[in-house]
Amino acid sequence: MKASDRAYASLRDDIVEWRLAPGTVLGEVEQAERLGVSRTPLREALARLTAEGLATAQRGRGVVVSDVSLAHLGELFELREALECKAASLAAQRGDRARFAALRDRLLAAPALLTDEDPQRNEYYALAAELDSAVDGAIANTYLSQSLEGLRVHLARVRRLAKDDAARLRQAAAEHAAIAGAIAEGNAPLAAAATAVHLNNSLNHIKSVQIHLPRPEDSTGPAVRTAPTHSTRPSAPREASHG
């Protein structure tokens, strides 16, 4: 893996997992030292994060971790609805019905995965990621798949705010099963409708969680923070879009 790719992956995981909070200044010298790379690949990594919207360049501050606000959350789910409902509809028309039927059955059994033995919900999120992967493969649309991939990293970041609530995840598993079932039946309108229901429930849940978000009018973000200079080891990414 190239140094710039390694720096990008580490910084992205730190941002998604909230080890680097909104407003944190990503100083080139400090981050290059922390990640064990030179400043040139570090700049490349910061440019990629900025292009994805995970970081932003601000005058007088340099590159900082971007905000997450309620206004941004609404915009994110508007885009999510447009992309995911269309993807589910196409998957119902083009996908392997047997594969989605098997996923439906596994998703119906998914609540059994939500145990104290897996507090990070890794098994559950791995199954949700399989549904994403199956949809991506079924739609046979490179542009739509790339757009969904770019969206999921933001969704993973937002999901951390809402915590890994077991009750909500059990409900979400049933919603995922409904989506997979509609695709397995080849019912495009039902697949899109089931996706819309899931997205509405996900958004309402996130809004209901008592979390602190920057105010939408705070375009400059929270107070300046300095990123940690000690070494951090990112955890395995969980970027399934379904929450």
Side-chain angles (χ1 to χ4, degrees), residues 5-6 13 34 37 40 45 53-54 82 104 128 158 161 168 179 181 197 215 232:
D5 293 337
R6 188 171 68 252
D13 286 346
R34 181 174 77 92
V37 299
T40 296
L54 292 174
R104 175 199 58 208
V158 168
L161 286 174
R168 170 56 198 153
I179 295 168
V197 168
R215 296 187 304 275
T232 59

Side-chain angles (χ1 to χ4, degrees), residues 80 84-85 87-89 91-92 100-101 103-104 107 131-132 135 172-188 190-199 242:
R80 186 179 183 186
E84 292 194 20
C85 288
S89 177
F100 284 98
L103 278 169
R104 175 199 58 208
L107 286 162
L131 178 58
D132 285 337
V135 169
E175 295 162 6
H176 299 159
I179 295 168
I183 295 173
E185 294 171 8
N187 191 328
L190 182 59
T195 301
V197 168
H198 168 64
L199 297 181
H242 300 289

Side-chain angles (χ1 to χ4, degrees), residues 177-227:
I179 295 168
I183 295 173
E185 294 171 8
N187 191 328
L190 182 59
T195 301
V197 168
H198 168 64
L199 297 181
N200 181 69
N201 289 341
S202 295
L203 179 58
N204 287 338
H205 171 69
I206 292 172
K207 286 182 175 180
S208 72
V209 176
Q210 297 301 308
I211 56 177
H212 173 71
L213 288 171
R215 296 187 304 275
E217 62 270 20
D218 287 347
S219 59
T220 58
V224 175
R225 302 179 180 87
T226 302

Side-chain angles (χ1 to χ4, degrees), residues 80-97:
R80 186 179 183 186
E81 182 173 4
L83 295 180
E84 292 194 20
C85 288
K86 182 61 177 179
S89 177
L90 289 175
Q93 299 172 52
R94 303 171 180 174
D96 181 339
R97 296 190 179 187

